[in-house]
């Protein structure tokens, strides 16, 4: 396998995933500098997520129409421009708009990176390639908080955005040389009605859940947005059935491997999406750690994610998609539940070992399901598959954070004792159950599902290279 291609794509995705979390620790400093409050500035987090939700559904059409390499490079450029605008913003309005521009670029980067990889990689090498591409999604959220805290404390908050400029420029130049030039279809027309429905559905749900979990606006705005988004989501399938080439082809769900990876991945990400929100809060509010110390401790998960990259392919070759997805989902969920057992007296070594194991399990699950999405689909369906998978991921992660935040609020209201250990035990417990339940979606998969991709059951597949 040509490792240069997935590494180039992974670096771009790392920039996007890290940036989406690095801002969280810098909100107070940014708010003070531009003359607003940290609560109001949370609108910038929401505007970024809404931009992702709006433009991810159209990423597949953009790739098919203009060519994946061209659009991917343009997406990096838009992301860099948005980063510069964020760094020079002097007001709340300017900052919110700048984050929206960043989101436009980020919305294209993740699905198009997967699409390029799928179309340029032989199916037998897809698991290895996906393993490289999965790492940024796991490391970025862990690196973001400590990097943001360090730059804000010792340099300036502006640099959490400016560091994207040289990385992005290098990515554009290298991608132009490394990525294959996959031509687009000049006659591919966009499904405007489908785009409107998909954009309203995804952005409404993500915006609503974000407002509910990050109360920068009254909760009624969040609830209303979720309802509007849900109505659009219900309306979309009726439109898709009457359209010859819908923006998102729901007919792909007739493929059992694809459907299992989307549904199972959704539940698993609800649990894992809650974890990066809950752990830093618990470490800082209950254990008394500083943001930097908390970030260093949670970063251990990233080492597990990197370590799994080297054994994911062999694991899938020996056990197959069905066994691996069931086992990694169950183990990943149980390890989320283990976080509820932490106390201020728990040795850091024990916490680090559990977080490292969690990183291994999550990385194996994400690598497996990301490859399973395409395992039994043709290349012509890859653009549709990437868009659907990316929309599902954004909604599930937003739901995970909203559920975690909501549970903390509910437990506080019921017990009347503030944000104590009981609230975190309940939140981690529900997150763990959601992740464990994801295993049920893979139970009915045939044992040989995706064997061309995993190599399981094929001649010589169980021999070490």
């Amino acid at each position: 396998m040509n490792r240069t291609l997935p590494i180039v794509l992974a670096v771009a995705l790392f920039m996007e995933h890290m940036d989406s979390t690095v801002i969280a620790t810098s909100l107070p400093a940014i708010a003070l500098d531009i003359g607003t409050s940290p609560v109001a500035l949370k609108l910038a987090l929401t505007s970024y997520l809404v931009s992702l939700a709006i433009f991810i559904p159209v990423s597949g059409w953009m790739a098919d129409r203009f060519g994946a390499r061209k659009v991917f490079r343009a997406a990096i450029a838009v992301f860099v421009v948005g980063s510069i605008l964020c760094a020079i913003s002097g007001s709340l309005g300017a900052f919110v708009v700048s984050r929206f521009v960043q989101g436009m670029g980020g919305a294209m980067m993740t699905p198009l990176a997967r699409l390029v990889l799928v179309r340029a990689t032989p199916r037998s090498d897809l698991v290895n390639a996906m393993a490289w591409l999965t790492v940024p999604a796991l490391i970025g959220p862990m690196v973001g908080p400590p990097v943001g805290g360090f730059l804000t404390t010792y340099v300036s908050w502006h640099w959490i955005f400016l560091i994207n400029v040289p990385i992005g420029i290098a990515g554009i130049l290298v991608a132009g040389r490394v990525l294959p030039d996959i031509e687009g279809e000049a006659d591919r027309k966009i499904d405007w009605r489908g785009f409107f429905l998909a954009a309203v559905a995804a952005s409404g749900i993500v915006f609503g859940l974000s407002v509910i979990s990050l109360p920068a606006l009254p909760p009624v705005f969040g609830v209303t947005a979720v309802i509007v988004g849900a109505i659009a989501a219900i309306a979309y399938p009726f439109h898709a059935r009457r359209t010859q080439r819908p923006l998102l082809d729901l007919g792909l769900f007739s493929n059992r491997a694809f459907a299992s990876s989307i549904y199972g991945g959704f539940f698993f990400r609800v649990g894992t999406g809650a974890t990066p929100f809950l752990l830093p809060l618990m470490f800082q509010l209950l254990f008394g750690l500083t943001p930097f110390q908390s970030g260093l401790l949670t970063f251990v998960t990233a080492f597990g994610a990197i370590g799994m990259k080297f054994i994911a392919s062999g694991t899938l070759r020996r056990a197959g998609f069905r066994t691996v997805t069931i086992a990694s989902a169950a183990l990943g969920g149980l390890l989320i539940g283990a976080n509820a057992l932490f106390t201020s007296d728990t040795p850091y070594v024990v916490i680090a070992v559990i977080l490292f194991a969690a990183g291994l399990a999550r990385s194996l699950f994400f690598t497996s399901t990301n490859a399973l999405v395409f395992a039994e689909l043709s290349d012509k369906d890859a653009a549709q598959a990437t868009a659907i998978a990316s929309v599902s991921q954004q909604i599930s992660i937003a739901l995970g954070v909203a559920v975690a935040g909501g549970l903390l609020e509910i437990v506080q209201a019921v017990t009347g004792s503030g944000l104590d250990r009981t609230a975190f035990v309940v939140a981690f417990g529900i997150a763990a159950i959601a992740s464990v339940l994801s295993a049920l979606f893979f139970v009915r998969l045939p044992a040989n599902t995706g064997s061309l991709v995993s190599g399981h059951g094929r001649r010589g597949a169980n021999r070490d290279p």
Side-chain angles (χ1 to χ4, degrees):
M1 184 190 70
N2 178 10
R3 288 186 173 86
T4 305
L5 176 61
I7 289 175
V8 170
L9 295 171
V11 169
L13 296 197
F14 174 76
M15 177 177 65
E16 191 262 322
H17 283 288
M18 184 181 74
D19 190 89
S20 64
T21 56
V22 71
I23 186 178
T25 55
S26 307
L27 283 179
I30 299 173
L32 180 64
D33 198 33
I34 66 176
T36 187
S37 68
V39 174
L41 198 58
K42 288 181 179 180
L43 287 172
L45 300 179
T46 302
S47 69
Y48 183 87
L49 294 174
V50 169
S51 183
L52 290 179
I54 291 173
F55 292 102
I56 283 176
V58 80
S59 61
W61 174 82
M62 291 281 289
D64 285 341
R65 174 64 178 81
F66 301 104
R69 185 177 73 175
K70 292 177 183 176
V71 179
F72 183 74
R73 296 178 73 198
I76 298 177
V78 171
F79 189 84
V80 169
V81 170
S83 298
I84 295 173
L85 292 176
C86 286
I88 64 175
S89 294
S91 66
L92 175 61
F95 194 75
V96 169
V97 171
S98 300
R99 286 290 286 174
F100 188 87
V101 173
Q102 260 195 319
M104 292 172 62
M108 300 290 175
M109 285 164 61
T110 299
L112 288 179
R114 284 202 196 114
L115 178 59
V116 170
L117 201 63
V118 169
R119 288 181 170 172
T121 304
R123 286 292 192 266
S124 57
D125 288 332
L126 190 58
V127 172
N128 265 331
M130 284 295 178
W132 285 90
L133 205 61
T134 298
V135 171
L138 293 165
I139 296 181
M142 302 297 171
V143 172
V147 169
F150 178 83
L151 290 176
T152 302
T153 303
Y154 299 107
V155 189
S156 168
W157 68 263
H158 302 83
W159 281 97
I160 67 177
F161 300 106
L162 293 177
I163 58 174
N164 292 329
V165 177
I167 298 174
I169 293 174
I172 294 171
L173 296 175
V174 176
R177 296 178 59 88
V178 173
L179 269 58
D181 188 11
I182 304 172
E183 291 297 326
E185 304 173 26
D187 61 342
R188 182 68 186 268
K189 290 180 171 50
I190 187 172
D191 170 22
W192 284 109
R193 185 174 296 179
F195 173 59
F196 173 77
L197 288 173
V200 171
S203 62
I205 293 173
V206 169
F207 174 78
L209 293 174
S210 299
V211 169
I212 291 170
S213 59
L214 298 171
L217 295 172
V220 66
F221 285 91
V223 174
T224 302
V226 170
I227 293 173
V228 172
I231 292 172
I234 293 171
Y236 183 84
F238 294 97
H239 161 75
R241 281 197 289 267
R242 297 193 305 266
T243 304
Q244 186 175 3
R245 299 188 76 175
L247 184 73
L248 300 175
D249 185 5
L250 302 185
L252 295 181
F253 282 92
S254 62
N255 182 286
R256 185 180 293 182
F258 175 81
S260 296
S261 62
I262 297 297
Y263 294 138
F266 186 93
F267 274 83
F268 191 80
R269 283 183 173 86
V270 168
T272 57
T275 305
F277 170 79
L278 292 171
L279 272 179
L281 278 179
M282 185 173 72
F283 287 156
Q284 294 173 46
L285 298 182
L286 297 190
F287 297 179
L289 301 182
T290 66
F292 188 61
Q293 291 171 327
S294 170
L296 290 178
L297 190 55
T298 57
F299 185 64
V300 175
T301 306
F303 291 105
I306 295 172
M308 179 50 66
K309 176 182 65 65
F310 298 102
I311 59 177
S313 179
T315 303
L316 279 167
R317 187 171 62 249
R318 288 172 173 81
F321 277 112
R322 185 179 67 181
T323 301
V324 169
T325 50
I326 292 172
S328 59
L331 179 60
L334 292 174
L335 289 169
I336 291 175
N339 294 331
L341 303 178
F342 295 158
T343 69
S344 56
D345 296 324
T346 304
Y348 291 157
V349 173
V350 174
I351 295 176
V353 169
I354 291 176
L355 295 184
F356 178 83
L360 287 172
R362 289 177 205 170
S363 181
L364 180 58
F365 181 87
F366 289 143
T367 298
S368 302
T369 53
N370 287 344
L372 188 60
V373 166
F374 308 99
E376 297 186 351
L377 297 179
S378 62
D379 282 350
K380 70 180 181 63
D381 293 323
Q384 292 275 350
T386 55
I388 293 173
S390 297
V391 169
S392 172
Q393 290 172 17
Q394 287 300 321
I395 293 176
S396 61
I397 293 172
L399 180 60
V401 175
V403 168
L407 287 171
L408 294 181
E409 295 292 334
I410 290 172
V411 174
Q412 288 184 79
V414 171
T415 62
S417 56
L419 195 58
D420 58 7
R421 186 168 179 270
T422 301
F424 285 98
V425 169
V426 172
F428 277 121
I430 299 299
I433 291 172
S435 293
V436 170
L437 286 176
S438 68
L440 297 178
F441 291 97
F442 304 99
V443 171
R444 297 185 61 188
L445 287 177
N448 64 344
T449 297
S451 58
L452 181 62
V453 173
S454 67
H456 177 64
R458 301 174 70 85
R459 179 175 295 182
N462 293 321
R463 291 201 301 266
D464 290 327

